Amino acid sequence: MTEHPLRTSARTDLRHEEAGAPARPALRVVHEPQGVDLAAAEAAAGQFLQALGISTASESLRGTPGRMARAYAELFTPRPFDLTTFPNDEGYDELVLARRIPVRSVCEHHLLPFVGTAHVGYLPGARILGLSKLARVVEHFACRPQVQERLTKQVADWLQTHLDPKGVGVVIEAEHCCMTLRGVQATGSSTMTSTLLGLLRSDARSRSEFLALANASV
């Protein structure tokens, strides 16, 4: 897999399925941090706070720069996972939809969090996906400075490429702290984005079914 933005990449490892089953490559998705320096991040966080007139001399704030550095390192580091797929032996051809997948990411413009839910569905082709992996893929792309529009498309494109389904749909609804805590201070507002691929884009019935089921969970 090609390197994706912000020095985060994925690689593939090959392993065999259970004994007696045909050998098939398994995609191992990992975060490969480059140049993470917690000590430098802590020093920079301390300078940042001081530049804003916030003293870290008190007992309660003395450890804040280090906590800031570790917190952002955690936010930008997704957990590795195997993209587990199984043969679609029964020829299942109806929608598979995981609703209300938690989303937490950081706006790349202000480095403030945005949180919400994702609804991710697909129309199976030759293989079906372990359901937990839909949430893993969302997490993988959310764990970096992001914009919601890009996040939505990255999840859909990645599933289309690696699962080869007949269609993919992703809807994300999130509240952005850069809108609710600063600037316009639009408390309670949320942003919705969607990406539809394959039959979920071209076939009106499939598209309507996906959007209706996704909206039902909001």
Side-chain angles (χ1 to χ4, degrees):
M1 183 176 179
T2 57
E3 184 178 74
H4 25 80
L6 307 169
R7 298 185 179 179
T8 308
S9 64
R11 60 181 171 83
T12 57
D13 296 325
L14 299 183
R15 66 175 172 80
H16 295 293
E17 295 183 350
E18 296 180 1
R24 181 177 176 84
L27 185 67
R28 178 68 172 171
V29 185
V30 297
H31 174 80
E32 297 175 348
Q34 299 181 22
V36 175
D37 188 336
L38 286 177
E42 179 177 350
Q47 293 173 0
F48 172 73
L49 292 172
Q50 290 174 12
L52 292 177
I54 301 173
S55 172
T56 58
S58 68
E59 181 179 352
S60 61
L61 284 169
R62 194 171 301 133
T64 296
R67 288 189 288 268
M68 286 176 60
R70 292 189 296 274
Y72 275 98
E74 180 180 340
L75 284 172
F76 297 153
T77 307
R79 294 168 291 180
F81 69 96
D82 292 318
L83 189 71
T84 310
T85 65
F86 306 94
N88 187 8
D89 293 331
E90 302 301 322
Y92 184 82
D93 60 0
E94 296 294 332
L95 182 66
V96 178
L97 175 63
R99 303 189 297 183
R100 296 189 293 273
I101 297 171
V103 174
R104 61 124 174 91
S105 191
V106 175
C107 166
E108 68 179 29
H109 300 139
H110 299 93
L111 286 190
L112 289 172
F114 65 90
V115 296
T117 56
H119 317 292
V120 182
Y122 71 99
L123 291 170
R127 300 187 71 80
I128 56 176
L129 182 67
L131 289 177
S132 68
K133 308 311 177 186
L134 294 172
R136 293 287 197 181
V137 174
V138 171
E139 178 190 279
H140 180 74
F141 286 104
C143 285
R144 66 197 67 179
Q146 269 288 14
V147 295
Q148 186 174 325
E149 298 89 339
R150 182 196 303 130
L151 171 61
T152 307
K153 193 170 188 307
Q154 283 178 331
V155 172
D157 287 345
W158 200 89
L159 288 170
Q160 184 68 39
T161 297
H162 293 284
L163 186 58
D164 194 26
K166 296 176 181 177
V168 174
V170 180
V171 172
I172 295 179
E173 180 176 16
E175 180 175 315
H176 292 249
C177 289
C178 59
M179 285 183 61
T180 60
L181 298 182
R182 57 158 300 282
V184 69
Q185 298 184 20
T187 303
S189 67
S190 62
T191 299
M192 293 193 70
T193 51
S194 65
T195 296
L196 303 176
L197 302 175
L199 288 178
L200 290 184
R201 184 180 184 90
S202 62
D203 180 70
R205 186 190 69 83
S206 298
R207 178 189 181 98
S208 296
E209 179 186 12
F210 170 77
L211 292 176
L213 290 173
N215 288 337
S217 68
V218 174

